[in-house]
């Protein structure tokens, strides 16, 4: 069977990634060429197929990028090998990645994380390119960074039992929040004239984006050695999400919610409708320069998913409703005071409950 990574065209791959990763075209432009090199068998020997350091404020899509690529290549966003570097902050914890050498205590009990078998498990029948994610690399112990230095340089890793692991058919992603605090301050200054300018002109354009790049690289150079940085193929700084990107992400989250309802509820599945005014309400509540799309996700959970869960658990949606002509519809309407969303089951005459919150926060969408 031909590998999907060899059959999909560059334009199709970029389009597929852009549908999953909103508002970060520079990231897609950096990653796709390395996939092309791999499927053309032109990647350098003795090295991973690509090494990327992803920087930027929280909630801008760093981890989402890796999951989106796994989804495009393997058909599953979880088809990757993830190392949470926060679990390897102490030097002795790094041994869990390699396993204990023969003769040491726990040799047979400790199963290393970075094995050839687990790399193979991160591939699929359609694509043999494994994706490895080292999340929040700045939290890792120095010995883990030195370990990675050898992997990035030679494309191999020797385990505790002297087994050799080959990383030539992998793409390695390192995510980091280095410089994120300074980036957030650059985006939303708290004092002085810069704070006033940020409120009056929240979109600073390419000039501000260039500042984020410089802030990120300054933090990287301060925390990692030149030898380590030199083995990274691309350092990408994620830009803040503007109103158009947040709107697209909200639409995507609502579509994902509908798919989740259809997949998980079975006989109790229904259709959720969120009119334009209600979506604007969610954007005003969920837009955050500090937390990015994560705040929007929490807002959707608070105003849509949790109230829907109450309706389903309370039996307000009749079993088999989705099989009737037209199906049951639950609409999220903006309340008369414009400070709440009212969820109504249009398929029943019973009074639908309303969930009310406090005064609306100042809108962050212009």
């Amino acid at each position: 069977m031909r590998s999907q990574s060899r059959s999909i065209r560059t334009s199709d791959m970029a389009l597929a990634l852009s549908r999953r990763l909103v508002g970060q075209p520079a990231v897609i432009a950096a990653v796709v060429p390395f996939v092309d090199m791999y499927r053309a068998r032109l990647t350098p020997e003795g090295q991973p197929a690509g090494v990327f350091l992803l920087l930027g404020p929280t909630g801008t899509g760093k981890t989402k990028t890796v999951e989106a690529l796994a989804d495009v290549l393997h058909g599953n966003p979880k088809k990757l090998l993830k190392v949470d570097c926060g679990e390897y902050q102490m030097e002795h914890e790094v041994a869990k990645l390699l396993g204990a050498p023969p003769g040491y205590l726990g040799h047979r009990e400790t199963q290393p994380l970075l094995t050839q078998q687990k790399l193979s498990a991160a591939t699929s029948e359609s694509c043999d390119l494994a994706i490895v994610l080292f999340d929040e690399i700045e939290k890792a112990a120095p010995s883990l960074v030195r370990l990675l230095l050898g992997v990035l340089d030679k494309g191999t890793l020797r385990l505790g039992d002297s087994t050799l692991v080959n990383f030539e058919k992998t793409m390695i992603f390192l995510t980091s929040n280095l410089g994120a605090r300074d980036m957030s301050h650059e985006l939303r200054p708290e004092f002085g004239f810069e704070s006033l300018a940020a409120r009056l002109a929240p979109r600073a354009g390419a000039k501000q984006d260039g500042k984020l790049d410089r802030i990120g690289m300054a933090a990287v150079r301060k925390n990692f050695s030149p030898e380590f940085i030199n083995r990274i193929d691309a350092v990408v700084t994620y830009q803040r999400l503007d109103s158009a990107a947040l709107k697209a992400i909200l639409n995507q989250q609502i579509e994902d919610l509908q798919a989740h309802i259809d997949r998980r509820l079975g006989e109790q599945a229904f259709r959720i409708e969120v009119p334009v005014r209600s979506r604007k309400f969610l954007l005003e509540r969920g837009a955050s320069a500090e937390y990015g799309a994560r705040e929007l996700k929490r807002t959707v959970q608070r105003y849509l998913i949790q109230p829907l869960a109450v309706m389903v658990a309370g039996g307000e949606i009749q079993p088999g409703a989705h099989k009737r002509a037209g199906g049951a519809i639950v609409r999220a309407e903006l309340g008369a005071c414009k400070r709440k969303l009212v969820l109504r089951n249009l398929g029943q005459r019973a009074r639908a409950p309303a969930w009310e919150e406090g005064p609306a926060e100042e809108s962050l969408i212009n």
Side-chain angles (χ1 to χ4, degrees):
M1 181 180 295
R2 279 200 311 170
S3 169
Q4 179 180 333
S5 64
R6 294 175 185 170
S7 60
I8 187 172
R9 293 182 301 178
T10 300
S11 58
D12 295 337
M13 182 177 297
L15 179 61
L17 284 173
S18 65
R19 288 173 178 168
R20 294 164 174 81
L21 181 67
V22 179
Q24 304 294 349
V27 180
I28 298 173
V31 172
V32 170
F34 285 88
V35 180
D36 288 340
M37 290 171 58
Y38 176 78
R39 68 183 184 180
R41 301 181 181 179
L42 295 178
T43 52
E45 293 183 3
Q47 296 179 12
V51 181
F52 306 90
L53 177 58
L54 311 181
L55 306 174
T58 183
T60 51
K62 297 188 291 295
T63 303
K64 179 71 173 179
T65 298
V66 187
E67 294 177 347
L69 183 61
D71 194 17
V72 171
L73 294 181
H74 304 303
N76 186 346
K78 302 302 180 183
K79 199 74 171 179
L80 54 90
L81 182 58
K82 180 179 179 180
V83 178
D84 185 353
C85 295
E87 299 179 3
Y88 302 95
Q89 300 186 47
M90 306 300 292
E91 295 293 337
H92 69 274
E93 295 173 331
V94 179
K96 293 186 292 185
L97 295 174
L98 305 178
Y104 280 73
L105 183 64
H107 165 60
R108 297 186 181 277
E109 291 78 13
T110 305
Q111 296 297 322
L113 179 62
L114 299 176
T115 65
Q116 199 71 57
Q117 290 76 13
K118 292 187 177 180
L119 285 180
S120 298
T123 65
S124 61
E125 293 183 0
S126 60
C127 181
D128 61 354
L129 179 63
I131 298 173
V132 183
L133 169 62
F134 290 87
D135 200 24
E136 296 185 309
I137 185 63
E138 75 278 5
K139 295 182 178 179
S143 59
L144 176 54
V145 177
R146 292 193 297 270
L147 185 74
L148 266 176
L149 188 62
V151 174
L152 305 188
D153 185 30
K154 301 178 181 179
T156 58
L157 174 68
R158 190 170 297 278
L159 301 180
D161 60 0
S162 295
T163 302
L164 203 62
V165 183
N166 193 321
F167 281 81
E168 289 188 19
K169 293 184 177 181
T170 67
M171 294 188 77
I172 298 177
F173 290 86
L174 318 170
T175 67
S176 175
N177 290 320
L178 287 172
R181 186 182 299 273
D182 292 334
M183 292 179 193
S184 297
H185 177 73
E186 179 66 30
L187 295 173
R188 301 290 289 186
E190 298 178 0
F191 304 104
F193 175 77
E194 289 183 351
S195 176
L196 176 62
R199 290 196 297 268
L200 296 178
R203 294 190 64 181
K207 182 177 180 180
Q208 189 179 60
D209 295 346
K211 286 185 178 180
L212 297 188
D213 293 335
R214 291 192 291 273
I215 291 172
M217 283 307 303
V220 170
R221 293 190 181 97
K222 186 180 297 184
N223 285 269
F224 296 114
S225 67
E227 293 80 9
F228 184 81
I229 298 173
N230 197 41
R231 286 167 173 79
I232 297 172
D233 293 313
V235 179
V236 186
T237 303
Y238 284 61
Q239 309 305 325
R240 67 162 183 182
L241 299 170
D242 59 19
S243 58
L246 288 171
K247 180 179 178 181
I249 291 173
L250 175 62
N251 293 337
Q252 188 180 81
Q253 289 181 356
I254 294 174
E255 291 176 3
D256 292 343
L257 173 59
Q258 182 65 68
H260 186 70
I261 291 172
D262 295 339
R263 183 173 60 253
R264 296 294 298 273
L265 295 190
E267 292 296 321
Q268 289 185 307
F270 55 89
R271 221 156 30 100
I272 176 72
E273 285 189 356
V274 186
V276 174
R277 291 177 63 198
S278 301
R279 296 185 187 224
K280 183 178 179 181
F281 170 86
L282 292 171
L283 283 171
E284 290 175 347
R285 293 293 181 101
S288 171
E290 184 177 2
Y291 299 110
R294 289 185 178 174
E295 183 64 26
L296 185 59
K297 181 179 180 181
R298 286 189 285 264
T299 301
V300 171
Q301 288 179 340
R302 180 181 182 185
Y303 290 101
L304 281 182
I305 300 178
Q306 292 174 0
L308 283 172
V310 174
M311 295 181 70
V312 173
E316 298 183 45
I317 302 174
Q318 295 299 320
H322 71 300
K323 293 184 177 180
R324 298 198 300 268
I329 299 175
V330 177
R331 178 178 295 166
E333 299 176 346
L334 187 61
C337 63
K338 299 183 180 180
R339 295 180 180 179
K340 64 181 180 181
L341 285 185
V342 178
L343 271 63
R344 303 188 187 279
N345 186 348
L346 303 185
Q348 297 178 359
R349 293 185 178 181
R351 183 180 178 183
W355 287 264
E356 185 171 356
E357 302 298 333
E361 293 88 348
E362 181 181 355
S363 172
L364 297 179
I365 302 293
N366 293 326

